[in-house]
Amino acid sequence: MRLIGRNGTGAGPAATEADTETWAESPERRPGALPAQRTSGLAERRPTGGYGPDSLVHVPAGGLAAALGASDGRAGPDVEGDPGFDSASFETALAAREQAALEARHRRAADDGDPDAAARLGTLLMRRGDLADAEPYLRAAAAAGLRAAANNLGVLLHQRGHRAEAAQWWRQAAVAGSAPAAHALGLQLRDQGEEEAAEYWLHFAADHGHPLGAYALGDLMEHRRDVRAERWFKVSADAGHREGAYRLARMREAAGDKETAEAWYRIAAARSHARAALRLGVLLEDRSGGEPPLLDEAARWYRQSAQNGEPRAACALGYLLRDSGDLGAAAEWWQEAAEAGDGNAANALGALHASRGAAAEAERWYRTALEAGDHNGAFNLGLLCAGAGRDQQAEQWYRRAAYAGHREACNALAVVLLQRGDESGAEPWFSRAAEAGSVDGAFNLGVLHAGRGEQRQAQEWYARAAAEGHGEAALQLAVVQEQRGNAAGALERYRQAAAGGSAEGAFRLASVLDRRGEADAEAEHWYASAADAGHRRAQVRMGVRAAERGALEIAESWYRRAAEAGSRSAAFNLGLLLARQDSEAEAMLWYTRAADAGHGRAALRLALLALRRGEPVQAEGWCRRAADYGPAEVAERAGRLLGALHAELSA
């Protein structure tokens, strides 16, 4: 029978407390012992004189040493300070001598028919593991009506596998008022499926101040989804039961009361409860807002939990250390967690090695994660193989993870199949990914339907992805709203796209605000957001706005970023800016880059500069390109200039 209410290790009702009435020490001499529950049913006997700690025979040290023999083989007693004196051995020998004397007195009295002595001797022998010798003495005491002996006999019988008879003695002791017996009986009835009877006896134990009974009652009620479970967990927690405090904290956290949950986690963690320390660390980290004091405290609780054997805490501590920049320490904790079977930590180690280019080590840890049952390992192996160009192996790993239900692996596998032209094979995997909650899967399914012209289905999947914060999905919805003339709807979707991280969405949102001539500060914010994300048109717009304000250095910086990324408009604008700053030679380079990329105004400007230098043939070539590139206004001007050049050349 599993002991629900244990605080630490131990198994079964063997760990059930023997009733304190027959221990070698009385309840008054044992701090924290439960008071005796006196009820009618079994006779209660006062211990007879001559038994217990107060009646130990006191042997003079010299006589004891003589009786035991000198520890170094010399005649006479060992003397304190003598090099041969061993105080630890002396104390051990003294304790053994006193215990033997106590056992002998109990045995003589028990053999003479004293039930109290029989109960004490039986308990002493049972504690020592001498069950065969203890049983007849406990039986004699229990038959004489001592409820504590009946309880302890039940414990002994249960240890020996006689569950039915154990329950009989526990019932007899419980009826007489023994809370430990009621607790043990309740647990056995619960394990037999007799929950109604189990609840009665566990309730009895809890009502009589037994914290393990209160905890077991709470556990039984929580299993039934009974709201009264919280009350009994609190009773056990108030009595010092750390698992009760942890379970109470979990219930409060699930109810959204994180403040109370944190308080109970703290109590349980202070009693070395590993999972409570882990949860306390998580709560502190969540509400830290990145502030060092709370993060430091979270790290302390993670460390305590990890040192008490919780690998998830070691993994969490690793992430905390990584975020603080201490990758070396993070790797050590991840390795400790991974070697203890934490797949998440093994994946983290794999990712760390992959970021350093150590593909073989990364693969080893991803495989370790997979062996630990974490299918992220298979997905990450797929990503690793794909990055190395091992496409066939990547597909195999994606497929393995996908069949295990990994939603992002489903999406990745579908992308591989779609890129191979297998649209019919890709669609079911996109669907599985989307239905499992993958926002990328939902977006890609929308793209698939849009490519077939199935706009209604596409919009449905875009909307589902956008609702989960997918910026590109919101952008697609915004474009459709704008095409339909729904300006308000488009603006709302553009905001959603920008907030979801879409650089194009941020740019379009800023452009709409710019055209409307309102919220200039907000437009600037979204232009900057898109520009920082590498959006070239946004970078050009930031350059233009800076130039309009006279901030030429800022404008030049934005133009350069965009031009170097391939923007022909930025290259042309940079050329204009440099020309105004008398950097004609560099300006020519940027004009040329813009014209080579098809920028008509840049080609026309180069034609004019060629004419200024007296190079009509080169000017004619740039004019022709400007006329081809456009736009219409530039083409018209280039045509007029080309006509003038022909007239001059033919004159």
Side-chain angles (χ1 to χ4, degrees):
M1 178 173 68
R2 183 172 63 87
L3 181 63
I4 295 179
R6 66 176 182 267
N7 277 336
T9 58
T16 304
E17 298 177 35
D19 201 317
T20 56
E21 294 166 60
T22 57
W23 288 90
E25 294 178 325
S26 68
E28 291 74 20
R29 295 180 62 86
R30 295 180 64 244
L34 293 172
Q37 304 299 326
R38 306 281 181 186
T39 61
S40 59
L42 289 178
E44 300 294 343
R45 298 173 182 264
R46 180 181 300 276
T48 57
Y51 298 100
D54 294 333
S55 62
L56 292 176
V57 176
H58 298 285
V59 182
L64 179 62
L68 294 175
S71 61
D72 63 356
R74 296 177 297 171
D78 287 325
V79 180
E80 187 172 357
D82 188 328
F85 180 76
D86 186 343
S87 61
S89 298
F90 179 83
E91 293 296 335
T92 301
L94 178 62
R97 177 84 175 179
E98 291 181 340
Q99 184 73 7
L102 180 64
E103 181 180 334
R105 288 196 301 278
H106 286 333
R107 192 178 296 274
R108 285 194 300 270
D111 290 343
D112 288 340
D114 187 331
D116 288 302
R120 290 179 182 274
L121 178 60
T123 301
L124 186 151
L125 294 168
M126 185 178 72
R127 279 174 154 179
R128 199 167 66 201
D130 191 353
L131 303 187
D133 197 11
E135 184 175 343
Y137 289 105
L138 289 176
R139 283 189 181 278
L146 272 69
R147 75 175 189 198
N151 173 60
N152 294 343
L153 179 58
V155 173
L156 182 148
L157 291 168
H158 193 279
Q159 286 180 335
R160 303 189 75 176
H162 306 306
R163 296 168 60 89
E165 189 181 359
Q168 293 173 6
W169 287 110
W170 278 332
R171 188 180 300 274
Q172 182 173 325
V175 167
S178 171
H183 168 244
L185 179 59
L187 292 182
Q188 179 152 314
L189 290 168
R190 182 208 61 187
D191 290 349
Q192 292 172 184
E194 301 177 42
E195 291 192 359
E196 187 174 347
E199 181 178 344
Y200 172 83
W201 287 112
L202 291 175
H203 214 298
F204 178 92
D207 282 340
H208 284 74
H210 198 286
L212 297 180
Y215 172 78
L217 181 58
D219 182 67
L220 182 64
M221 288 181 170
E222 186 181 41
H223 172 71
R224 296 175 174 178
R225 303 183 185 279
D226 189 325
V227 295
R228 294 175 297 168
E230 188 173 328
R231 171 198 171 194
W232 292 109
F233 284 143
K234 186 175 186 307
V235 169
S236 67
D238 285 337
H241 195 290
R242 65 179 187 177
E243 183 70 17
Y246 171 73
R247 296 284 289 277
L248 176 59
R250 291 297 302 221
M251 293 187 78
R252 295 315 310 153
E253 185 180 3
D257 184 4
K258 292 188 177 181
E259 184 176 353
T260 304
E262 183 179 319
W264 284 110
Y265 281 138
R266 194 176 293 277
I267 289 171
R271 295 168 184 158
S272 299
H273 192 291
R275 286 171 296 159
L278 168 62
R279 290 304 309 163
L280 177 57
V282 170
L283 289 184
L284 290 168
E285 185 179 357
D286 286 347
R287 71 177 178 87
S288 70
E291 292 298 318
L294 283 177
L295 288 177
D296 289 345
E297 187 181 0
R300 287 197 300 273
W301 289 114
Y302 285 149
R303 185 172 283 104
Q304 175 182 305
S305 179
Q307 290 169 345
N308 283 331
E310 179 52 72
R312 292 175 298 171
C315 181
L317 181 57
Y319 280 112
L320 208 58
L321 290 166
R322 180 204 63 181
D323 294 343
S324 71
D326 192 348
L327 285 178
E332 290 177 6
W333 284 105
W334 281 335
Q335 183 163 341
E336 182 171 320
E339 289 173 350
D342 189 281
N344 190 19
N347 275 312
L349 268 178
L352 180 61
H353 286 293
S355 70
R356 294 171 172 172
E361 276 297 291
E363 183 170 341
R364 181 171 78 86
W365 286 110
Y366 288 149
R367 288 181 181 274
T368 299
L370 186 58
E371 289 166 4
D374 189 330
H375 293 287
N376 275 313
F379 176 61
N380 288 332
L381 282 167
L383 294 175
L384 193 68
C385 291
R390 293 147 54 190
D391 295 337
Q392 187 174 357
Q393 288 177 284
E395 181 180 339
Q396 290 172 353
W397 286 117
Y398 289 150
R399 194 175 294 276
R400 178 169 176 175
Y403 275 114
H406 193 290
R407 63 191 187 188
E408 298 309 329
C410 292
N411 179 64
L413 176 59
V415 170
V416 168
L417 294 172
L418 190 62
Q419 289 173 340
R420 202 162 63 208
D422 186 2
E423 183 176 313
S424 61
E427 185 174 358
W429 288 113
F430 277 138
S431 295
R432 284 185 64 173
E435 294 295 351
S438 169
V439 291
D440 286 336
F443 173 72
N444 289 337
L445 200 52
V447 172
L448 197 65
H449 284 293
R452 298 172 180 166
E454 299 165 352
Q455 293 302 324
R456 183 182 62 80
Q457 294 94 323
Q459 293 293 300
E460 288 176 357
W461 286 109
Y462 287 149
R464 185 180 296 195
E468 296 298 324
H470 197 289
E472 298 305 320
L475 174 63
Q476 296 301 319
L477 295 170
V479 170
V480 170
Q481 292 297 323
E482 192 168 23
Q483 290 171 347
R484 292 174 179 172
N486 183 359
L491 190 62
E492 180 183 354
R493 287 297 188 181
Y494 280 138
R495 287 188 190 280
Q496 189 178 8
S502 169
E504 179 68 19
F507 173 74
R508 291 192 179 219
L509 173 59
S511 299
V512 170
L513 294 170
D514 213 358
R515 287 196 301 270
R516 293 171 63 171
E518 56 187 50
D520 188 65
E522 187 182 1
E524 180 90 7
H525 165 75
W526 289 116
Y527 277 139
S529 177
D532 286 336
H535 193 284
R536 289 182 297 180
R537 285 182 295 163
Q539 290 170 343
V540 172
R541 193 64 60 89
M542 288 295 290
V544 170
R545 291 169 73 90
E548 289 172 349
R549 295 195 303 268
L552 299 185
E553 289 185 5
I554 296 175
E556 182 180 340
S557 173
W558 282 117
Y559 287 151
R560 282 190 185 279
R561 284 182 62 179
E564 288 168 354
S567 169
R568 63 188 187 186
S569 295
F572 176 69
N573 288 353
L574 180 57
L576 291 176
L577 192 64
L578 292 168
R580 291 171 191 161
Q581 296 173 347
D582 297 326
S583 298
E584 189 72 33
E586 188 180 359
M588 287 285 292
L589 294 175
W590 289 109
Y591 288 149
T592 303
R593 183 179 293 192
D596 287 343
H599 195 283
R601 291 181 65 196
L604 184 59
R605 178 59 61 99
L606 286 168
L608 293 171
L609 289 172
L611 278 175
R612 187 186 303 170
R613 292 194 307 270
E615 299 172 349
V617 176
Q618 288 186 335
E620 181 182 3
W622 285 118
C623 276
R624 292 187 184 281
R625 290 174 67 175
D628 290 340
Y629 296 155
E633 178 189 352
V634 170
E636 182 183 350
R637 289 180 61 193
R640 290 200 305 268
L641 182 58
L642 194 57
L645 279 170
H646 282 162
E648 183 178 341
L649 290 171
S650 62

